[in-house]
Amino acid sequence: QALRFDNFSLVDLLIIPEIEQEEIAEFLDKATAKIDKAIDLQRQQIIKLKEYKTTLIDSVVTGKVRIV
């Protein structure tokens, strides 16, 4: 079906109460904050692992660590 301007007024729209909209927005804000925190922790771990990798490679190349 096509939704043209003429019959657009016939479409039922769901109107959510404002308090419920605020609750949904608050929930989404909290969930987004948790996700952002998890992403930040993963990025920090990646940085630390890259630093560890660089240090380990340097130690092996200079002979400070032996590989058996």
Side-chain angles (χ1 to χ4, degrees), residues 4-62:
R4 295 186 182 86
F5 185 76
D6 296 340
N7 58 8
F8 188 73
S9 63
L10 302 175
V11 175
D12 292 330
L13 297 176
L14 178 63
I15 299 175
I16 300 174
E18 189 173 331
I19 192 157
E20 191 172 343
Q21 292 179 34
E22 291 172 0
E23 290 173 354
I24 292 169
E26 185 177 325
F27 171 80
L28 291 174
D29 287 342
K30 288 179 182 178
T32 303
K34 286 182 182 179
I35 293 168
D36 289 342
K37 185 176 180 180
I39 290 171
D40 189 47
L41 288 172
Q42 290 297 314
R43 285 185 178 150
Q44 289 176 12
Q45 286 182 337
I46 290 169
I47 290 169
K48 288 180 181 180
L49 284 171
K50 286 181 179 180
E51 290 172 358
Y52 177 68
K53 175 184 167 187
T54 302
T55 303
L56 187 58
I57 290 171
D58 183 57
S59 296
V60 170
V61 170
T62 58

